[in-house]
Amino acid sequence: AQSVTQPDIHITVSEGASLELRCNYSYGATPYLFWYVQSPGQGLQLLLKYFSGDTLVQGIKGFEAEFKRSQSSFNLRKPSVHWSDAAEYFCAVVPSGGYQKVTFGTGTKLQVIP
Amino acid sequence: NAGVTQTPKFQVLKTGQSMTLQCAQDMNHNSMYWYRQDPGMGLRLIYYSASEGTTDKGEVPNGYNVSRLNKREFSLRLESAAPSQTSVYFCASKDVAGGSTDTQYFGPGTRLTVL
């Protein structure tokens, strides 16, 4: 069965510092990969997604993610964090061509200190 | 275009009471989903509907029932609420075509407390 691991439950960074959130997946073939962000009391908003092609994908709010097949990873990055980025971030996978079930990671809560 | 809407936003139930959570989408999506979100557990799929007229169990279906009323609406019912069902419930929808459209859109959530 497919699985998604986000090893960091909570991360704290200073405003202006760079950020990397880790995501590893376990699946036989390359799945579709997503990052979502959830602000407190809100639903999930899509940041970016990877289906195929260029392994570095750009998303909204200045985020990017790099797919590394050899490491089964899809880490989310941002060069300079803003206080408004404080939220919870979820990595998700769905089998390529299998459009029914999405598996979410357990989330990483980001705290930004001034 | 409201996207995915959910009602109610908040609900408090007593053990044994029943209720129905409503979800509607106006994006003409074929697939709809119900998730629950609990601290430290991410989102877990309760039920989904691949298309109008079909429903299937997800990861944690026990204690829930669903109805795909039409293409727009997908409701989640708790017949006899239990404290273990205290959670935040999210509805989502997706175009079934796959490929670059394979993105779920989420509602704002329903915060349910069962006493």
Side-chain angles (χ1 to χ4, degrees):
Chain A
Q2 62 193 44
S3 66
V4 182
T5 301
Q6 292 181 248
D8 303 306
I9 297 172
H10 192 272
I11 282 183
T12 301
V13 299
S14 299
E15 191 168 16
S18 63
L19 172 70
E20 183 169 27
L21 302 182
R22 295 182 290 166
C23 173
N24 293 95
Y25 67 90
S26 173
Y27 191 66
T30 300
Y32 297 151
L33 298 156
F34 305 81
W35 275 101
Y36 286 87
V37 60
Q38 184 182 31
S39 298
Q42 303 296 316
L44 276 72
Q45 180 185 20
L46 180 70
L47 281 176
L48 47 78
K49 57 192 176 187
Y50 172 79
F51 293 122
S52 64
D54 193 347
T55 56
L56 185 64
V57 294
Q58 303 296 323
I60 62 172
K61 305 185 181 188
F63 285 91
E64 66 179 27
E66 186 172 13
F67 168 61
K68 292 186 177 180
R69 186 189 309 272
S70 62
Q71 298 177 20
S72 297
S73 69
F74 188 56
N75 293 349
L76 182 71
R77 302 194 295 243
K78 187 169 185 178
S80 178
V81 170
H82 189 262
W83 63 266
S84 60
D85 294 323
E88 191 158 17
Y89 293 80
F90 293 91
C91 182
V93 301
V94 63
S96 55
Y99 44 78
Q100 299 312 321
K101 292 186 179 182
V102 180
T103 300
F104 286 85
T106 52
T108 298
K109 191 165 288 187
L110 174 66
Q111 181 182 7
V112 180
I113 55 177
Chain B
N1 190 338
V4 180
T5 57
Q6 293 182 235
T7 55
K9 286 190 167 60
F10 300 94
Q11 184 71 50
V12 178
L13 293 177
K14 294 180 180 178
T15 297
Q17 287 185 318
S18 63
M19 78 161 295
T20 300
L21 281 64
Q22 307 286 353
C23 173
Q25 52 89 12
D26 61 3
M27 297 173 282
N28 202 36
H29 286 169
N30 288 296
S31 298
M32 297 185 73
Y33 308 79
W34 276 106
Y35 293 91
R36 61 178 288 173
Q37 183 180 32
D38 302 291
M41 303 193 75
L43 279 79
R44 294 181 292 170
L45 182 65
I46 304 171
Y47 270 94
Y48 68 98
S49 170
S51 60
E52 186 179 353
T54 68
T55 60
D56 284 285
K57 294 178 181 179
E59 184 183 352
V60 287
N62 291 345
Y64 305 95
N65 285 300
V66 291
S67 296
R68 185 71 184 267
L69 304 169
N70 47 55
K71 191 171 186 180
R72 290 187 63 248
E73 299 172 289
F74 188 39
S75 63
L76 178 72
R77 183 160 178 84
L78 286 70
E79 290 291 351
S80 179
S84 61
Q85 294 178 303
T86 294
S87 187
V88 181
Y89 292 85
F90 287 99
C91 178
S93 70
K94 181 165 65 173
D95 190 341
V96 77
S100 61
T101 60
D102 201 15
T103 300
Q104 288 194 339
Y105 295 86
F106 286 82
T110 294
R111 282 146 186 81
L112 175 67
T113 300
V114 183
L115 302 176

